[in-house]
Amino acid sequence: MSIFATKSIEQLKAEASTTGEHALRRVLGPINLITLGIGAVIGTGIFVLSGTTAADNAGPAIVLSMVFAGTAGALAGLCYSEFASTVPIAGSAYTYGYATLGEFVAWVIGWDLILEYALGAATVAVGWSGNLTSFLHDFVGVDFPARFSAAPGTVIATAAGPVTAVLNLPAVIITALVTVLIVIGIKESATVNTAIVFIKVAVVLIVIVGGAAYVNTANWHPFVPPNTGTFGEYGWSGVLRGGGVIFFAYIGFDAVSVAAQEAKHPQRDMPIGILGSLLICTLLYILVSGVMVGLVPYQQMKGSPAPMVVAIRAAEQASGGNALLHLMTMLVELGAIAGLSSVMVVMMMAQPRIFYAMANDGLLPAFAKKIHPRFRTPHVTSLITGVAVALASGFTPIGVLGQMVSIGTLMAFVIVSIGVIFLRYQRPELDRPFKVPFVPVVPVLSAIVSLGLMASLPAATWMRLVVWMALGVVLYFAYGYRHSEVRRAGVLVH
């Protein structure tokens, strides 16, 4: 049987409508879905990667990188919204790929999503660690042991001299705490996330409004720093690479679509959750990045896991110890700690549901779809995800993690965009509560923009992706191909 066998939309909907102890619980409304998206998007991108990307790639033109990333996100968000309302099933791009492009493509994107979410959560955990140690030093007067505050081999400057780190312990601890939360339940996780979202959006607004008064416009010049002679290091290639790196943040609305099977009214609410969170977050990203590179020369944020704090602290020192800026520094550090926690909740909540969808199709072993009898969550894969994220965050530098997540996210968007066109021509009669306008123009543009941002990422990141995908192909033919439920049932939809 063909490795490109597809599952019909009717079959997917029938599977999702099952009830009982093995079913996910439908408890999420539109506000929960919007805050899930904001919870995942407003986090590492603003509090960590915006500063490091400005320092390494784009300079003040990080604002344009945000515009590029937001444009790509908007195009992909429209495609996701059509699929999420038409096929409201757990699994996100994996499920959409199965319905349109066939089993093998679905496996590839599912394997890609595993990389995307696990390393995404690990990236956030590293950023959380950096902000926590900064807060403890600045406002509590406690210096967390440098040897246990970063990835192995990282050299950290201390008062006693440089110290080489061996483990990022705070990242491992926050991963363990989030794992416990997501095992307890989806509603509890969403409630915690919603509360944190209001806190961190308030902090971001305070930075935008309060920080704008202290912007030094000289820091915006030259707006696009001249290229160093290396692709991606400033100049317009740096702006493009900056968009590709910062695109890491837009994994958020993919996480919304993963929760489709736990939404009360998915056909109506999924597009609201995806597009609503995307619009709010893109606007905040553009504004806060402009303020941040106006507060401090972008070079000063290089290498810091808490660049927004660096920017505000530098402005505070330049002003002679302004009390408002000092308060903003504390609020940002607290907001970042809370905000990055909610990003981890969303990402680590999404990962086990990808496992769940793939195991339901027989492509992963049956243990991956086990649901806890009391909490009604995929507890086994939640624990596996927790262990994987703890190892990655404890031992891997944030730069490597962020680029891997960006390329994985963009790859998922390319496949979803192409899938919209396929499904429009294969099944034109399907009920589509939300439709992408101007098909095929918008989906084609979405795929092209995403591919362009992928092309801007370093060759080493592509090599890591190729190695991961090659491993996935081996596992598919070793296990998934022989255990596929579609193949067992002899169901082929042409």
Side-chain angles (χ1 to χ4, degrees):
M1 297 177 69
S2 172
I3 62 171
F4 297 106
T6 60
K7 295 183 74 172
S8 70
I9 304 297
E10 293 75 16
Q11 183 181 358
L12 288 167
K13 288 182 176 179
E15 292 173 358
S17 64
T18 58
T19 59
E21 64 176 7
H22 298 296
L24 297 172
R25 184 177 293 154
R26 291 194 178 274
V27 293
L28 303 180
I31 299 300
N32 292 130
L33 294 170
I34 289 175
T35 54
L36 275 178
I38 296 174
V41 177
I42 298 294
T44 309
I46 278 185
F47 293 114
V48 181
L49 292 182
S50 56
T52 56
T53 303
D56 295 337
N57 306 112
I62 183 64
V63 174
L64 297 181
S65 297
M66 294 292 187
V67 172
F68 288 162
T71 301
L75 292 169
L78 290 169
C79 297
Y80 265 82
S81 294
E82 175 164 320
F83 263 127
S85 65
T86 308
V87 193
I89 315 298
S92 178
Y94 161 77
T95 301
Y96 309 154
Y98 218 142
T100 55
L101 303 174
E103 181 177 281
F104 181 70
V105 175
W107 167 268
V108 168
I109 196 61
W111 189 246
D112 171 65
L113 288 171
I114 291 171
L115 174 75
E116 181 181 325
Y117 280 113
L119 293 191
T123 308
V124 178
V126 175
W128 186 92
S129 172
N131 279 277
L132 176 68
T133 54
S134 177
F135 178 80
L136 291 175
H137 173 78
D138 293 342
F139 298 101
V140 183
V142 174
D143 287 320
F144 194 88
R147 285 173 58 82
F148 300 100
S149 63
T154 304
V155 178
I156 301 172
T158 69
V163 174
T164 302
V166 295
L167 173 69
N168 196 329
L169 184 58
V172 174
I173 292 172
I174 186 60
T175 300
L177 294 174
V178 171
T179 300
V180 171
L181 178 62
I182 63 173
V183 168
I184 290 174
I186 178 73
K187 184 63 176 177
E188 292 77 8
S189 300
T191 300
V192 170
N193 175 71
T194 299
I196 294 175
V197 162
F198 283 109
I199 294 171
K200 68 180 176 181
V201 169
V203 169
V204 170
L205 290 174
I206 289 171
V207 171
I208 292 171
V209 176
Y214 300 93
V215 164
N216 180 359
T217 55
N219 291 329
W220 287 341
H221 301 288
F223 189 67
V224 181
N227 184 259
T228 62
T230 301
F231 183 92
E233 292 183 6
Y234 312 116
W236 287 103
S237 67
V239 174
L240 183 62
R241 176 165 291 179
V245 173
I246 210 70
F247 202 80
F248 162 89
Y250 287 92
I251 190 177
F253 67 78
D254 183 280
V256 176
S257 67
V258 170
Q261 210 163 318
E262 290 154 288
K264 294 177 183 176
H265 307 289
Q267 286 85 355
R268 180 198 69 190
D269 295 343
M270 294 307 296
I272 294 174
I274 292 171
L275 297 176
S277 60
L278 181 67
L279 178 64
I280 293 169
C281 294
T282 300
L283 181 61
L284 292 176
Y285 264 62
I286 292 170
L287 292 174
V288 80
S289 63
V291 169
M292 188 164 58
V293 292
L295 289 175
V296 64
Y298 63 88
Q299 299 93 335
Q300 291 186 26
M301 294 183 284
K302 192 174 185 68
S304 171
M308 186 179 289
V309 174
V310 170
I312 298 174
R313 188 180 295 135
E316 178 189 349
Q317 292 171 351
S319 67
N322 182 278
L324 176 60
L325 288 171
H326 183 73
L327 177 62
M328 282 175 57
T329 303
M330 183 175 69
L331 288 174
V332 166
E333 293 194 357
L334 285 172
I337 291 168
L340 295 174
S341 302
S342 76
V343 178
M344 288 191 68
V345 169
V346 176
M347 289 185 173
M348 291 181 65
M349 189 171 64
Q351 174 69 86
R353 283 149 183 82
I354 300 294
F355 285 132
Y356 174 85
M358 296 176 76
N360 266 337
D361 295 326
L363 302 184
L364 288 177
F367 72 80
K369 63 178 179 180
K370 284 186 177 180
I371 301 296
H372 194 281
R374 176 185 173 189
F375 300 130
R376 299 279 290 279
T377 58
H379 59 294
V380 176
T381 49
S382 294
L383 293 172
I384 292 172
T385 298
V387 171
V389 171
L391 290 173
S393 64
F395 294 98
T396 311
I398 193 168
V400 174
L401 290 169
Q403 291 177 1
M404 284 300 297
V405 177
S406 287
I407 200 167
T409 305
L410 289 162
M411 182 175 171
F413 289 177
V414 170
I415 292 178
V416 169
S417 302
I418 295 171
V420 166
I421 301 172
F422 268 73
L423 196 60
R424 281 288 187 97
Y425 288 101
Q426 289 175 340
R427 300 293 305 277
E429 81 288 354
L430 279 176
D431 177 38
R432 292 173 170 84
F434 179 90
K435 288 187 176 182
V436 177
F438 308 114
V439 172
V441 176
V442 169
V444 167
L445 279 175
S446 175
I448 291 173
V449 171
S450 295
L451 284 170
L453 290 175
M454 288 178 72
S456 72
L457 293 170
T461 302
W462 278 91
M463 286 304 300
R464 295 185 189 103
L465 179 68
V466 169
V467 170
W468 176 256
M469 287 302 165
L471 178 60
V473 170
V474 171
L475 290 177
Y476 170 72
F477 285 106
Y479 183 89
Y481 179 80
R482 295 186 293 110
H483 294 84
S484 164
E485 293 291 339
V486 168
R487 191 161 287 98
R488 284 182 174 183
V491 177
L492 269 176
V493 180
H494 298 284

